[in-house]
Amino acid sequence: MQRHVGLDIQVDFKTRSNIKQIKSPTHPTMAVHFEARTGSARMQNIKLERDVVLLCEEEAPHQPRASVEVGAGGAITGLVTLFPHILFRDQPRELVFVIDRSGSMQPKMDQTRAALRLFVLALPPGTRFNIVGFGADFQPLFEESVLYGEESLAIALDHVETMQADMGGTNVLQPLAFVLSQPAVPGVQRQVIILTDGQVSPFPFPAPSLPPSPPL
C-alpha cells in the first residue's frame, strides 16, 4: 500500500526594488505575502508531479546596479551590472500531439506513453493543446484544442495512461486533415507533433485534401 507524502515548500524573496506581485502559474493556490522589498510564497502538502514555477515582479526591474566588496586583505572588488533594453515577446502556442495507435505500435506503446506524458507535463502555462490518436480512423481527446490548466492536464494524463495500440491500420492523412481544418486562434502559433513508427498503411485509404494553413 503506497502512502502519499506531501512536501512543504517556502521560498523567500529579497529584491532591489519594491515587489509588485508574486504568483505561480503552475500552483495558483499557494499562499503569498509581500511587503516593500521582501516577500514569500508557501505551499503545503504538495506532490511534485510537475515543475513549480514562481514569478516575482518588481516595480523597477532591470536597473543598473553596482556592488563593492572589501576582502580580508583590504582588496576592493567592484561589480557593475548594466541591462540592455530588449523587448521580448512570448508567442502563444497551440500544440497538437498526433499519436500513432495502430497495431504496429504495440511493442512501443510504453515508450510512447512515457514520451507523451513528459510532453504534456512540460507544457508552459497559457498553451492550448490537444491529443489526437489515429490508426485506420482517428480520435481526438477534445473536440478542439483547450487551454492548458489543472483540469485539462488531469484529463490528458488519464487519457495517456489508457492509450493502447488498438486502432488498426496507419492512416495519418485523416488526423492531419482534421487538425489543420480546425479554426486558428488569431495570434496563436499552431505546432503539430507526430509520434509514429513510420509504418504507414498503403492506400486504398481515401486521401483527404489538406486545407492551406491559415495566416497568423
Side-chain angles (χ1 to χ4, degrees):
M1 179 178 177
Q2 294 183 344
R3 295 183 59 189
H4 162 58
V5 178
L7 294 177
D8 293 348
I9 298 178
Q10 178 167 324
V11 180
D12 296 321
F13 297 87
K14 186 175 182 181
T15 59
R16 294 295 185 105
S17 63
N18 289 341
I19 297 175
K20 189 175 180 180
Q21 67 172 344
I22 300 174
K23 64 180 181 179
S24 171
T26 57
H27 297 75
T29 58
M30 72 166 47
V32 171
H33 173 76
F34 59 90
E35 183 176 357
R37 296 185 297 165
T38 60
S40 64
R42 181 175 177 81
M43 294 176 289
Q44 292 181 304
N45 195 31
I46 68 165
K47 294 190 297 182
L48 291 181
E49 297 176 327
R50 59 185 184 277
D51 292 342
V52 177
V53 179
L54 281 173
L55 303 177
C56 178
E57 183 179 355
E58 296 183 58
E59 290 184 355
H62 310 310
Q63 299 299 311
R65 296 172 182 174
S67 302
V68 176
E69 181 178 330
V70 180
I76 300 176
T77 303
L79 172 66
V80 176
T81 305
L82 302 176
F83 294 88
H85 184 65
I86 301 175
L87 294 178
F88 294 97
R89 185 174 69 116
D90 291 331
Q91 175 72 47
R93 300 184 186 278
E94 175 192 5
L95 286 170
V96 183
F97 302 98
V98 179
I99 310 301
D100 188 350
R101 292 175 52 184
S102 63
S104 65
M105 289 289 291
Q106 182 60 48
K108 309 157 186 128
M109 283 308 294
D110 286 344
Q111 185 178 4
T112 301
R113 282 190 291 267
L116 184 56
R117 189 184 307 113
L118 182 64
F119 280 139
V120 171
L121 287 171
L123 289 176
T127 302
R128 304 182 69 86
F129 78 104
N130 202 354
I131 300 172
V132 181
F134 74 93
D137 200 354
F138 68 93
Q139 183 182 57
L141 175 58
F142 304 107
E143 292 185 4
E144 59 184 16
S145 294
V146 298
L147 196 63
Y148 181 77
E150 290 190 12
E151 182 178 355
S152 58
L153 172 63
I155 294 173
L157 291 178
D158 287 343
H159 176 71
V160 170
E161 295 304 319
T162 60
M163 284 194 322
Q164 300 294 332
D166 55 1
M167 296 187 68
T170 312
N171 181 6
V172 69
L173 286 180
Q174 285 188 347
L176 287 179
F178 166 77
V179 171
L180 297 178
S181 67
Q182 296 294 300
V185 179
V188 176
Q189 184 181 73
R190 175 178 291 161
Q191 296 179 328
V192 181
I193 298 175
I194 304 175
L195 297 183
T196 178
D197 60 2
Q199 300 183 31
V200 178
S201 298
F203 292 97
F205 284 124
S209 59
L210 298 179
S213 298
L216 292 177

